[in-house]
Amino acid sequence: MEPRLIFAAANTYIRNVKWSKPKIDAESEWIYIGLDDNMMNYEKVILDYFITDELYVSLNRRESFQTNKQSIINKIKPLIGTEDFSIWNWSFQKVIEFNKIGIYRIGINESKT
Protein backbone atom coordinates (compact mmCIF):
# COMPACT_ATOMS: atom_id res chain seq x y z
CA MET A 1 0.00 0.00 0.00
CA GLU A 2 1.27 3.48 -0.82
CA PRO A 3 2.37 5.78 2.03
CA ARG A 4 -0.38 8.33 1.40
CA LEU A 5 -3.05 5.60 1.46
CA ILE A 6 -1.74 4.18 4.75
CA PHE A 7 -1.74 7.66 6.27
CA ALA A 8 -5.23 8.46 4.96
CA ALA A 9 -6.67 5.16 6.22
CA ALA A 10 -5.09 5.61 9.64
CA ASN A 11 -6.45 9.17 9.93
CA THR A 12 -9.91 7.98 8.92
CA TYR A 13 -10.04 5.01 11.28
CA ILE A 14 -8.42 6.69 14.30
CA ARG A 15 -11.71 8.51 14.92
CA ASN A 16 -13.45 5.20 15.57
CA VAL A 17 -10.87 3.76 17.96
CA LYS A 18 -11.90 2.78 21.46
CA TRP A 19 -8.79 3.12 23.61
CA SER A 20 -8.13 0.56 26.35
CA LYS A 21 -7.27 1.74 29.83
CA PRO A 22 -4.48 -0.21 31.56
CA LYS A 23 -6.55 -0.41 34.77
CA ILE A 24 -10.24 0.05 35.40
CA ASP A 25 -9.64 3.06 37.65
CA ALA A 26 -6.94 4.61 35.46
CA GLU A 27 -7.36 8.27 34.60
CA SER A 28 -5.92 7.88 31.11
CA GLU A 29 -5.40 5.25 28.43
CA TRP A 30 -1.76 6.34 27.96
CA ILE A 31 0.96 4.06 29.34
CA TYR A 32 4.55 5.10 29.99
CA ILE A 33 7.08 3.01 28.05
CA GLY A 34 10.16 5.25 28.11
CA LEU A 35 12.66 6.44 25.55
CA ASP A 36 15.72 4.39 26.48
CA ASP A 37 17.69 2.35 23.99
CA ASN A 38 16.24 -0.89 25.33
CA MET A 39 13.85 -1.79 22.54
CA MET A 40 12.63 -4.91 24.35
CA ASN A 41 9.72 -2.98 25.89
CA TYR A 42 8.53 -1.82 22.47
CA GLU A 43 9.04 -5.25 20.96
CA LYS A 44 7.04 -6.96 23.71
CA VAL A 45 4.11 -4.54 23.40
CA ILE A 46 3.99 -4.88 19.60
CA LEU A 47 4.49 -8.64 19.37
CA ASP A 48 2.02 -9.36 22.17
CA TYR A 49 -0.72 -7.17 20.70
CA PHE A 50 -0.58 -7.97 17.00
CA ILE A 51 -1.35 -11.50 15.80
CA THR A 52 -0.90 -10.95 12.07
CA ASP A 53 2.54 -10.51 10.53
CA GLU A 54 1.67 -7.65 8.16
CA LEU A 55 1.71 -4.20 9.80
CA TYR A 56 1.31 -0.60 8.68
CA VAL A 57 3.16 2.30 10.28
CA SER A 58 1.40 5.65 9.90
CA LEU A 59 3.80 8.56 10.20
CA ASN A 60 2.90 11.10 7.53
CA ARG A 61 1.76 11.22 3.88
CA ARG A 62 5.22 10.50 2.49
CA GLU A 63 6.89 8.28 5.07
CA SER A 64 4.20 5.82 6.18
CA PHE A 65 5.06 2.25 5.30
CA GLN A 66 4.17 -1.42 5.34
CA THR A 67 6.35 -3.88 7.25
CA ASN A 68 6.21 -7.15 9.18
CA LYS A 69 6.63 -8.16 12.80
CA GLN A 70 10.18 -9.43 12.26
CA SER A 71 11.51 -6.06 11.08
CA ILE A 72 9.20 -3.62 12.89
CA ILE A 73 11.63 -2.82 15.72
CA ASN A 74 14.50 -1.90 13.39
CA LYS A 75 12.17 0.29 11.33
CA ILE A 76 10.61 2.22 14.23
CA LYS A 77 13.80 2.63 16.28
CA PRO A 78 14.71 5.95 14.57
CA LEU A 79 11.18 7.26 15.23
CA ILE A 80 11.18 6.69 18.98
CA GLY A 81 11.56 9.94 20.87
CA THR A 82 11.41 12.03 17.69
CA GLU A 83 8.01 11.34 16.07
CA ASP A 84 4.41 10.52 16.95
CA PHE A 85 3.28 7.47 14.97
CA SER A 86 0.82 4.60 15.00
CA ILE A 87 1.09 0.94 14.08
CA TRP A 88 -1.93 -0.82 12.59
CA ASN A 89 -2.66 -4.42 11.69
CA TRP A 90 -3.40 -5.27 8.05
CA SER A 91 -7.16 -4.71 8.42
CA PHE A 92 -6.85 -1.42 10.34
CA GLN A 93 -8.77 -2.99 13.22
CA LYS A 94 -6.08 -2.87 15.92
CA VAL A 95 -3.75 0.03 16.65
CA ILE A 96 -0.94 1.08 18.96
CA GLU A 97 -0.26 4.80 19.01
CA PHE A 98 3.18 5.95 20.20
CA ASN A 99 3.94 9.47 21.33
CA LYS A 100 7.43 10.98 21.08
CA ILE A 101 7.52 11.64 24.84
CA GLY A 102 7.64 7.90 25.61
CA ILE A 103 4.01 6.91 26.07
CA TYR A 104 1.65 4.69 24.11
CA ARG A 105 -1.96 3.57 24.00
CA ILE A 106 -3.72 0.55 22.55
CA GLY A 107 -7.08 0.50 20.84
CA ILE A 108 -9.61 -1.26 18.64
CA ASN A 109 -11.27 0.35 15.64
CA GLU A 110 -14.95 -0.14 16.48
CA SER A 111 -16.06 0.40 12.89
CA LYS A 112 -14.18 -2.80 11.95
CA THR A 113 -15.54 -5.11 14.67
Side-chain angles (χ1 to χ4, degrees):
M1 187 181 289
E2 292 181 37
R4 65 182 176 80
L5 296 177
I6 294 169
F7 185 72
N11 280 345
T12 299
Y13 292 131
I14 199 86
R15 297 179 195 120
N16 300 317
V17 171
K18 178 171 176 152
W19 300 104
S20 302
K21 289 191 177 182
K23 298 177 186 171
I24 293 173
D25 59 344
E27 292 181 25
S28 172
E29 65 272 5
W30 291 100
I31 303 164
Y32 179 76
I33 194 167
L35 296 173
D36 58 7
D37 288 336
N38 184 355
M39 297 303 291
M40 289 177 54
N41 293 337
Y42 286 87
E43 185 173 27
K44 180 170 177 22
V45 168
I46 294 165
L47 297 181
D48 287 352
Y49 189 60
F50 293 113
I51 297 168
T52 60
D53 189 51
E54 185 178 344
L55 300 173
Y56 297 114
V57 177
S58 176
L59 183 59
N60 59 47
R61 289 182 57 80
R62 294 186 180 176
E63 298 175 299
S64 297
F65 56 91
Q66 180 177 345
T67 188
N68 58 45
K69 285 170 58 171
Q70 290 76 27
S71 60
I72 187 74
I73 295 304
N74 289 332
K75 293 197 175 183
I76 66 165
K77 191 172 187 175
L79 304 176
I80 300 202
T82 62
E83 300 285 343
D84 297 337
F85 63 95
S86 58
I87 302 174
W88 295 81
N89 68 339
W90 67 273
S91 64
F92 286 90
Q93 181 183 17
K94 296 173 86 174
V95 61
I96 304 175
E97 184 175 29
F98 291 96
N99 187 286
K100 63 184 166 193
I101 64 170
I103 57 177
Y104 75 97
R105 61 184 177 172
I106 292 174
I108 300 280
N109 175 0
E110 291 190 325
S111 70
K112 292 279 198 164
T113 55

